[in-house]
Amino acid sequence: INRGNKAIFRAVVAAGVLVLLTVGSAAGIAQAQAQRHGSAGTNAEEQQASRLVHDWLAAWVAKDADKMASYMAENVSFSGNYPAMAPESGRARWLMENAPFIKMGIKIQVHGTTAVGGKAGTAVLVRRTDTFSFNGRTLVVPVAAFYFVKNGHIQTWFDMPLIELGPPPGAPP
């Protein structure tokens, strides 16, 4: 590359870096503002769905399985370890199977929430870390969780642990 082309090349690279920094900063600011306000949706339905999911998570931290169930549709489809555990259906079944586990307690740290809505409902993806303590041990689980919200209720909940889990806490060895 001759001297003139080098100068042009440097100017183009510098301009490109400046554009990337500007766009990245704007995106980071928007994401921080959305997280600070507790919602990651851009319209009212997406914000409501995000709030519903965060309220559901707060009920889990409060060990209130009945309150969690109240946020779910009667025919909710669920899996707490998808895809290792096949989805099941029904709020009553969810409550029967999960209430003892919910009462054990959890610490949840949400790292990000994205909500995308449409005519069929709103999909909410939550990136979080769950911390369980049982039998003198602590288990930290990074999770990608998918919720589908429609008509003010969670229709689908799939937790996808990002590590392999053994048997559930309290299960025989």
Side-chain angles (χ1 to χ4, degrees):
I1 298 177
N2 66 33
R3 194 179 331 207
N5 288 344
K6 282 185 185 179
I8 292 170
F9 178 75
R10 279 193 216 117
V12 169
V13 168
V17 169
L18 181 60
V19 167
L20 287 175
L21 289 174
T22 302
V23 170
S25 295
I29 290 168
Q31 182 180 10
Q33 287 174 339
Q35 288 177 346
R36 184 170 51 245
H37 296 298
S39 65
T42 57
N43 64 42
E45 290 81 17
E46 292 169 347
Q47 291 174 3
Q48 288 172 336
S50 292
R51 257 191 309 280
L52 176 73
V53 167
H54 283 264
D55 289 347
W56 186 84
L57 292 170
W60 191 353
V61 170
K63 302 179 185 179
D64 191 341
D66 290 322
K67 183 145 186 121
M68 290 176 73
S70 75
Y71 293 123
M72 302 170 99
E74 187 67 37
N75 63 343
V76 65
S77 178
F78 65 92
S79 176
N81 187 4
Y82 188 82
M85 291 173 47
E88 299 181 70
S89 295
R91 181 172 46 202
R93 183 177 184 110
W94 178 88
L95 195 53
M96 180 184 70
E97 291 183 8
N98 288 282
F101 179 68
I102 301 301
K103 291 182 190 320
M104 291 179 65
I106 189 172
K107 178 183 170 195
I108 296 174
Q109 182 179 10
V110 174
H111 303 287
T113 302
T114 300
V116 180
K119 291 180 182 178
T122 303
V124 180
L125 181 62
V126 177
R127 183 174 158 240
R128 63 177 210 258
T129 302
D130 297 349
T131 303
F132 304 93
S133 296
F134 54 93
N135 298 334
R137 296 183 349 193
T138 298
L139 177 63
V140 178
V141 183
V143 176
F146 173 80
Y147 305 84
F148 183 71
V149 177
K150 183 176 182 178
N151 300 325
H153 287 90
I154 296 169
Q155 306 289 323
T156 304
W157 162 59
F158 291 159
D159 261 7
M160 291 158 259
L162 302 176
I163 62 171
E164 288 190 32
L165 299 176

